Amino acid sequence: MIIAIIVVLVAIIIFLMIYNMSVHKKIDTYNNLNQKIVSLNVLQEFMDTISAEKSPDEKIKKINEILIEKYDIKYSTIVVYDGAEYTIKSTNVDEKHWPALSTLHNEEIFKDSIETATPKYITVDKEGERLPYQKMEFGRAKSAMFFPLYIDNVYIGYWIIESGKPHDFDQIDTTILEVVRNNIVSVIKTVDQQEIIEKIVREDKYSGLKTAEYLYGEGKRRLEQYDKTAICMFKIINIVDINEKLGRNTGNNIISEISNVVRQNISAEYVFVRYMGPKFAIAFSGIDVDGIDKFLIQLKKSVEEIKIKQAEEDLYEDEKPKAVSPKINIAVTTYYKGTAIEGTTKKLEEYLDYADSKESQINYI
């Protein structure tokens, strides 16, 4: 009888062990599936952030906010090397700790991680201890994971996540975090290209206008507030003759005067740039092509009524200055929100460049 009871108990224990293993396996499967779903959602939010009309810094900050929220991270900091110095692009850590966080590349504990492009996990065992890179703080972080960031095998900075609990990242799935790290790199690469475009914006010497790059950066962000915008590009078709016959200084004065006339006649809400050489572009924010027809007729008239005397620098001795007026050819089209604005302007530019050299009218394309 006792043997039978023991056998039954052993059978029950074995059954419970098998059942427990099965439940544990299902929980692991659920957790893995849940992590994958979270990762997919995060990736989608990353893509939405990249395509949003925000500044590069705003995009990186948004990415960090997504990481903190979706992965329940206590502290997350993204640091990027810009070729001159290490800059904190985004963090939720108090500013007093920024000097320490922006110099982690100098810490011995992380140098091997940077050299080998592998993550580094560090933690303390007791509450009274502190992490190696912490010089003056005790209570903030007790665990940290350091991820060096590389673009095409070139080291560009690091991402560090921290927790206020010892051994808090012992069981974390590093595979998921590696995917997140790669997504961070993709975002930085994308916004870096955007930042390059925005940084090369210059103010044109003769017109006082921003160059075409402004239209692709800040200008586009302004246009994206509307579903569609009329884009106009005009070309001074007789500028070459003016430069050759009356002198380049006279040509430069024509550029300056045209810029002044147009600026005085358009709203500050519109984007007006010197596109390239004799070409200018105006983006009529939120205005339909049909709504600018009369304005363009008047604008063309105002520009072509300009009379500029030959610049003194272009005159020979005792030569009397001649007067000259510009002639322009105009091309207009619609820019739709979310599309490539450089493609839109390219279409206008090609039309003006290949049009008859004497054509001087308003063309809707």
Side-chain angles (χ1 to χ4, degrees):
M1 184 67 178
I2 294 174
I3 294 174
I5 293 172
I6 292 173
V7 170
V8 171
L9 289 173
V10 170
I12 292 172
I13 291 170
I14 292 172
F15 171 76
L16 290 173
M17 288 176 64
I18 294 172
Y19 178 75
N20 187 53
M21 290 173 63
S22 174
V23 170
H24 187 69
K25 188 174 181 181
K26 287 179 180 178
I27 291 173
D28 284 345
T29 302
Y30 171 78
N31 286 337
N32 288 334
L33 180 61
N34 188 55
Q35 283 186 330
K36 288 178 181 177
I37 291 171
V38 169
S39 294
L40 285 172
N41 289 337
V42 169
L43 181 58
Q44 181 59 53
E45 291 195 40
F46 274 21
M47 297 302 292
D48 292 343
T49 301
I50 291 172
S51 59
E53 288 305 320
K54 299 177 182 289
S55 71
D57 285 343
E58 287 174 328
K59 288 182 180 180
I60 295 180
K61 286 176 183 176
K62 180 61 178 176
I63 290 298
N64 206 33
E65 289 171 6
I66 293 169
L67 295 174
I68 292 165
E69 178 188 350
K70 298 297 183 182
Y71 291 103
D72 196 24
I73 296 170
K74 180 68 174 176
Y75 303 111
S76 176
T77 303
I78 299 172
V79 179
V80 175
Y81 180 63
D82 63 6
E85 59 182 355
Y86 285 80
T87 304
I88 292 179
K89 288 295 186 179
S90 181
T91 185
N92 63 330
V93 177
D94 192 282
E95 191 171 351
K96 65 184 178 182
H97 302 303
W98 289 9
L101 289 171
S102 62
T103 55
L104 295 183
H105 55 284
N106 293 326
E107 297 290 333
E108 284 297 328
I109 193 75
F110 298 128
K111 285 184 177 180
D112 183 59
S113 173
I114 293 171
E115 289 174 3
T116 59
T118 55
K120 179 75 174 182
Y121 175 39
I122 55 176
T123 186
V124 300
D125 294 316
K126 301 176 183 177
E127 282 295 333
E129 297 175 346
R130 63 183 176 188
L131 298 173
Y133 61 87
Q134 295 176 320
K135 308 304 180 187
M136 301 179 65
E137 53 179 309
F138 285 92
R140 187 179 66 82
K142 301 296 182 183
S143 305
M145 286 201 75
F146 178 90
F147 297 88
L149 305 176
Y150 283 79
I151 293 179
D152 300 329
N153 296 320
V154 177
Y155 171 67
I156 54 107
Y158 50 86
W159 170 45
I160 184 169
I161 59 174
E162 301 169 291
S163 168
K165 300 176 184 177
H167 295 279
D168 199 28
F169 300 136
D170 287 3
Q171 305 300 321
I172 198 166
D173 187 345
T174 55
T175 305
I176 297 293
L177 290 179
E178 287 282 0
V179 172
V180 173
R181 193 250 312 254
N182 292 337
N183 288 333
I184 290 173
V185 169
S186 297
V187 171
I188 291 174
K189 189 174 182 178
T190 302
V191 299
D192 187 49
Q193 292 168 346
Q194 179 184 345
E195 200 165 28
I196 289 171
I197 290 175
E198 295 192 3
K199 281 184 176 179
I200 61 176
V201 173
R202 296 290 182 269
E203 188 172 288
D204 178 60
K205 178 180 177 182
Y206 300 107
S207 66
L209 301 172
K210 301 288 188 189
T211 52
E213 292 79 16
Y214 179 81
L215 184 59
Y216 303 143
E218 177 62 29
K220 185 179 179 184
R221 282 198 288 277
R222 289 166 58 181
L223 303 187
E224 290 297 289
Q225 299 175 46
Y226 310 95
D227 291 333
K228 56 184 180 179
T229 288
I231 303 281
C232 155
M233 187 177 291
F234 65 87
K235 178 181 180 181
I236 309 170
I237 59 174
N238 60 338
I239 194 70
V240 174
D241 284 342
I242 292 171
N243 287 338
E244 288 179 352
K245 295 177 181 177
L246 301 183
R248 188 164 292 275
N249 292 296
T250 306
N252 291 336
N253 290 343
I254 285 284
I255 297 287
S256 298
E257 189 58 27
I258 288 175
S259 303
N260 292 334
V261 168
V262 176
R263 250 194 306 242
Q264 290 167 9
N265 284 277
I266 63 172
S267 166
E269 293 298 311
Y270 302 151
V271 180
F272 180 34
V273 298
R274 184 173 183 185
Y275 186 78
M276 191 179 296
K279 294 185 285 288
F280 296 77
I282 309 172
F284 297 88
S285 316
I287 305 297
D288 192 85
V289 167
D290 294 335
I292 63 170
D293 187 52
K294 290 181 180 178
F295 174 81
L296 290 180
I297 292 171
Q298 182 56 48
L299 183 69
K300 187 175 188 298
K301 183 174 181 292
S302 298
V303 168
E304 294 184 343
E305 285 178 348
I306 292 171
K307 283 193 180 297
I308 292 288
K309 283 188 177 182
Q310 191 174 7
E312 289 185 10
E313 301 93 326
D314 294 331
L315 293 172
Y316 294 106
E317 261 187 71
D318 299 325
E319 185 182 11
K320 290 184 178 180
K322 302 180 182 67
V324 65
S325 295
K327 290 289 181 183
I328 61 174
N329 196 25
I330 301 175
V332 187
T333 193
T334 300
Y335 166 71
Y336 295 94
K337 179 179 179 178
T339 59
I341 194 166
E342 59 272 23
T344 303
T345 54
K346 187 69 176 174
K347 179 170 68 173
L348 296 172
E349 181 183 20
E350 287 178 350
Y351 178 86
L352 292 175
D353 285 345
Y354 290 103
D356 186 285
S357 61
K358 294 182 180 179
E359 181 181 281
S360 177
Q361 57 193 38
I362 302 171
N363 306 276
Y364 294 87
I365 60 175

